[in-house]
Amino acid sequence: MKNYILLVAITALFYSCAEAVKEDSSSEVDSENRINSEENQSEASTEDLEVSLEQLGGLFNTGDKEENNVSPETEALKKLLQMSGSSEDGSMGSLQEMISMEVILDLLEDSGVSREEMEKLINNPDSLKILAQEAIKNREEARLAKEGNIAKGKISKEQLASKNTATGVSLEEAILLVQAESGPEATMAKLKKIDSLAGTNVMEQMDLTEASYLMQDVAGKNEVPASEDELEKIEALRKLSGQLHSDKEAVELLAQLEKTEEAIASGELKASPRYQRTIEHQRKTVKIFKKDFERKAKTAKKKFKQLNPNLYFGEEAGQTYVGHMRKAVYLPLGKLSFADRVVKANHPKLMTQQKNNVLGEPDVIKGFDVEDITGIHSLGLGGTLTIQFIDNALTNVNGPDLYIFEIGQIEPTNLEISKDGKTWVRVGKIDGGVSEVDIAPFVKQGELFYYVRLTDLKMDSGLPGADVDAIAAIGAAMRLNLDSKVLFATGKSVLKPEGIDALKVLAKSISVLKKGSVIVEGHTDDVGSAESNQRLSLARAKSVSAELKKLIPGAGFRWKEKGLGESKPLVENDSDKNRAKNRRVEVLVLPN
């Protein structure tokens, strides 16, 4: 389009020049007055042409460029102007001689405009004037728009608060009225309505981003402030929602936030706008965390089951926690997996007041400063910590067996484990990103350990010494799968002699725990009715439980039997081999 306009302008210029030459050649007069008059007219025409061309240049250069960066189109027009004035008699006829009208029409036709349309424009002696006027208009509009952008967003406090308006309403009051009616978002319709209420025109001159900031500031300044109690809850929620420790914690907090939102919406709970925004924001944050962590938890649980297909840890007992670098850590016994007692804590500066922070589930809450961190115990440089598992035990399973929950990077620490707290097995140094430990190279299969000792290896940091939040035994209980073929005859619930021998081996492992909950589950394949399978599975579970009670004397254990029939197969009941796997009795030993 720019080339098209340029060609029109040049063509009009050529046409005007040609007309001027014809008029000059047809009326030669010897009178001196006539000559002076023509010279004056020529000078005026040249001056007018220069002005017109300069105005036309605005069409191609809207003022955004520096003077020394003139557009090619403007430069070309200036050169044409110089060429047009090069004749000794002041005429511009030489320009027409240089370029014929046919060539000009060809050029214009190449620009995409028909020859007929271009001839109409060329035959219009006012075409250059029209283009120049358009250029002036465009230039003025660009200047006003630029000035308008500079002024946007600059509304003083006096302008906001002043009621010296046609309506007697201040801008601030008008903003609050519109926000109360239709919400906080800025739209052009709202800005116009604000100006209408206040009798001004300043808001609609702002862009929506600046107007949005202004409206938010006004709303924040005039809203009811949060109470002291709300401020405390806001701070607690801010910390907790960003530092959730488990999938269960996320579920519980999300339910609490949703319940609070419902109470606010129903009017049951009166809350400040800030507290309402906090609840809404934290609900969204926790919901995102929950969704992301559920995905990670599912993967972690699946990985554990793949490593330990013969171990059962129960849907109710198992739980996933947030470990080092926000890793999902699946613990088959959930909260029962954690250390129960601090046996000894040695700190070089006797700072052992927080030693019990290492017990139970992870609960560290970090603040902006080191002093604001809660829920951990720092061993100190060279310090030691000895803990005991009372209601569970550390044992070797496939994969990691022990997990150290520590803030930041795991600092160099020596790890030892013991059965009795007297004889220790050195597992070795743990540090860096290694939060989980496999004890397999250092123990025999089936051994149970109740004590863990950590010794800091003196690497200085923000909090000197390893900073422990919790210690968990991943391999804390075992689910044993007993083949029904070994225990019972087909369709029977009376133990065979070889079945009793198998239970004697099992009883030795259970009795080492001294106390706990023993859950015996009977399972069948899908042959027969569901009701008969459930009855048979329960009868078999009771037979196994009765025999184990004889083999494990004492009152430290609680017993429970379940008949699950065909409801929980290990594999699909699609072959005789798979059906044999599903006919089983499983014994789960859990701490009380």
Side-chain angles (χ1 to χ4, degrees):
M1 183 64 187
K2 185 183 289 186
N3 292 337
Y4 161 70
I5 295 174
L6 176 61
L7 288 171
V8 172
I10 294 172
T11 304
L13 176 62
F14 290 160
Y15 181 80
S16 299
C17 292
E19 290 297 319
V21 171
K22 289 179 182 179
E23 290 176 3
D24 288 345
S25 60
S26 62
S27 56
E28 291 184 358
V29 182
D30 293 336
S31 170
E32 185 176 350
N33 291 336
R34 176 67 173 170
I35 293 172
N36 290 337
S37 175
E38 287 179 356
E39 286 178 353
N40 291 337
Q41 184 176 355
S42 175
E43 289 175 3
S45 299
T46 302
E47 183 179 349
D48 290 342
L49 182 59
E50 288 176 356
V51 171
S52 297
L53 285 172
E54 287 177 3
Q55 292 171 341
L56 185 61
L59 188 62
F60 308 104
N61 182 6
T62 59
D64 292 332
K65 299 180 181 180
E66 299 293 336
E67 290 183 2
N68 59 352
N69 189 20
V70 181
S71 67
E73 294 87 355
T74 303
E75 190 64 37
L77 286 173
K78 288 183 178 179
K79 287 182 180 179
L80 285 172
L81 177 63
Q82 293 172 0
M83 292 169 62
S84 68
S86 59
S87 176
E88 290 182 1
D89 61 359
S91 71
M92 294 181 285
S94 59
L95 196 59
Q96 186 184 19
E97 293 172 1
M98 291 171 59
I99 306 176
S100 68
M101 182 63 68
E102 192 65 27
V103 171
I104 294 172
L105 289 172
D106 289 340
L107 288 171
L108 293 171
E109 192 170 8
D110 289 340
S111 69
V113 182
S114 69
R115 206 174 190 84
E116 293 76 12
E117 290 176 341
M118 288 312 309
E119 286 177 347
K120 289 179 183 178
L121 288 172
I122 292 171
N123 291 328
N124 179 6
D126 294 328
S127 59
L128 181 59
K129 181 180 178 182
I130 293 170
L131 288 172
Q133 289 173 344
E134 184 68 21
I136 293 171
K137 179 183 176 183
N138 291 341
R139 196 184 196 103
E140 183 65 13
E141 287 179 353
R143 183 186 67 78
L144 291 174
K146 187 174 182 180
E147 290 179 356
N149 286 333
I150 294 174
K152 284 179 180 178
K154 293 190 175 181
I155 297 179
S156 66
K157 293 181 179 179
E158 290 74 16
Q159 284 179 292
L160 273 175
S162 175
K163 291 190 177 183
N164 187 23
T165 62
T167 61
V169 177
S170 69
L171 267 178
E172 191 168 328
E173 290 171 333
I175 290 171
L176 292 172
L177 286 169
V178 171
Q179 285 180 321
E181 178 184 290
S182 53
E185 299 81 8
T187 65
M188 188 54 66
K190 287 184 182 179
L191 300 188
K192 290 181 177 179
K193 187 167 185 178
I194 291 169
D195 275 335
S196 175
L197 289 170
T200 61
N201 65 346
V202 294
M203 290 297 292
E204 56 191 281
Q205 294 181 25
M206 302 177 72
D207 61 41
L208 291 179
T209 301
E210 290 292 342
S212 178
Y213 290 147
L214 176 63
M215 292 169 70
Q216 288 174 16
D217 290 343
V218 170
K221 187 180 75 171
N222 288 274
E223 72 182 15
V224 177
S227 66
E228 288 297 323
D229 181 57
E230 286 179 330
L231 290 175
E232 290 180 7
K233 290 179 180 178
I234 287 170
E235 180 63 16
L237 279 173
R238 184 189 64 79
K239 288 182 177 179
L240 183 58
S241 63
Q243 302 181 72
L244 292 168
H245 304 98
S246 68
D247 52 352
K248 182 180 178 182
E249 211 172 80
V251 170
E252 291 175 349
L253 181 57
L254 181 60
Q256 176 189 329
L257 291 169
E258 289 175 342
K259 185 177 180 181
T260 303
E261 268 195 323
E262 290 173 3
I264 293 172
S266 67
E268 179 184 345
L269 176 64
K270 301 297 181 183
S272 67
R274 181 179 176 184
Y275 187 65
Q276 293 180 44
R277 290 194 300 270
T278 299
I279 295 296
E280 180 184 7
H281 173 72
Q282 298 303 340
R283 175 184 56 77
K284 292 177 180 177
T285 301
V286 174
K287 193 170 184 179
I288 292 171
F289 172 88
K290 175 178 172 290
K291 185 176 180 180
D292 177 64
F293 200 66
E294 280 176 345
R295 176 181 56 81
K296 291 182 179 179
K298 185 177 180 180
T299 302
K301 182 178 178 181
K302 182 179 179 181
K303 182 179 179 181
F304 183 88
K305 286 190 171 183
Q306 287 175 343
L307 288 172
N308 300 280
N310 294 324
L311 295 180
Y312 175 81
F313 298 89
E315 296 297 328
E316 296 179 1
Q319 196 168 315
T320 307
Y321 294 84
V322 178
H324 183 62
M325 301 295 290
R326 302 192 70 81
K327 177 182 178 180
V329 182
Y330 176 70
L331 299 180
L333 292 183
K335 66 179 182 180
L336 297 176
S337 306
F338 295 94
D340 301 297
R341 185 171 78 94
V342 174
V343 177
K344 184 184 289 187
N346 291 324
H347 192 284
K349 296 183 180 180
L350 303 179
M351 298 174 64
T352 59
Q353 299 92 330
Q354 309 299 325
K355 63 182 181 181
N356 287 334
N357 285 340
V358 304
L359 303 179
E361 298 173 286
D363 58 358
V364 63
I365 295 294
K366 302 175 188 177
F368 291 108
D369 300 318
V370 172
E371 295 77 11
D372 295 332
I373 301 176
T374 62
I376 64 164
H377 168 64
S378 180
L379 272 63
L381 294 177
T384 64
L385 174 70
T386 304
I387 61 93
Q388 180 184 7
F389 297 110
I390 295 175
D391 57 6
N392 63 310
L394 171 65
T395 190
N396 179 47
V397 296
N398 295 326
D401 306 302
L402 185 72
Y403 199 95
I404 311 295
F405 291 83
E406 191 196 20
I407 66 168
Q409 198 173 48
I410 305 302
E411 298 175 41
T413 306
N414 187 61
L415 172 65
E416 300 167 281
I417 60 177
S418 173
K419 296 177 181 180
D420 56 10
K422 298 176 182 179
T423 304
W424 294 90
V425 176
R426 187 177 185 276
V427 176
K429 185 177 79 168
I430 58 173
D431 65 356
V434 182
S435 306
E436 54 191 19
V437 182
D438 188 356
I439 65 174
F442 311 97
V443 303
K444 295 178 181 179
Q445 190 64 33
E447 286 186 304
L448 299 174
F449 297 85
Y450 295 92
Y451 299 87
V452 172
R453 183 164 67 192
L454 299 173
T455 303
D456 181 78
L457 295 179
K458 298 184 178 180
M459 177 174 282
D460 205 352
S461 63
L463 287 177
D467 313 313
V468 182
D469 180 20
I471 302 171
I474 299 175
M478 189 173 291
R479 177 85 172 193
L480 298 176
N481 186 339
L482 300 173
D483 189 349
S484 291
K485 186 177 180 180
V486 175
L487 299 175
F488 309 102
T490 302
K492 305 296 182 180
S493 60
V494 178
L495 286 164
K496 296 191 299 184
E498 57 262 45
I500 294 175
D501 291 338
L503 291 179
K504 287 178 181 178
V505 176
L506 175 63
K508 290 180 180 179
S509 297
I510 298 174
S511 61
V512 176
L513 291 174
K514 306 302 180 185
K515 62 178 182 178
S517 297
V518 182
I519 301 174
V520 183
E521 296 178 350
H523 300 265
T524 69
D525 58 21
D526 64 345
V527 177
S529 68
E531 293 77 12
S532 63
N533 285 334
Q534 194 278 330
R535 286 195 299 270
L536 177 61
S537 65
L538 181 57
R540 287 179 170 180
K542 287 183 177 180
S543 293
V544 170
S545 180
E547 187 62 25
L548 286 175
K549 289 177 183 178
K550 296 177 187 177
L551 296 170
I552 307 174
F557 290 93
R558 292 180 297 182
W559 300 84
K560 187 175 182 179
E561 300 80 31
K562 293 182 179 180
L564 299 178
E566 60 189 71
S567 63
K568 290 190 175 181
L570 286 177
V571 292
E572 291 292 332
N573 285 297
D574 54 6
S575 67
D576 290 339
K577 184 178 179 179
N578 281 352
R579 288 190 178 92
K581 290 181 180 180
N582 290 330
R583 295 191 297 268
R584 69 199 189 277
V585 173
E586 293 185 350
V587 179
L588 172 64
V589 183
L590 294 173
N592 286 328

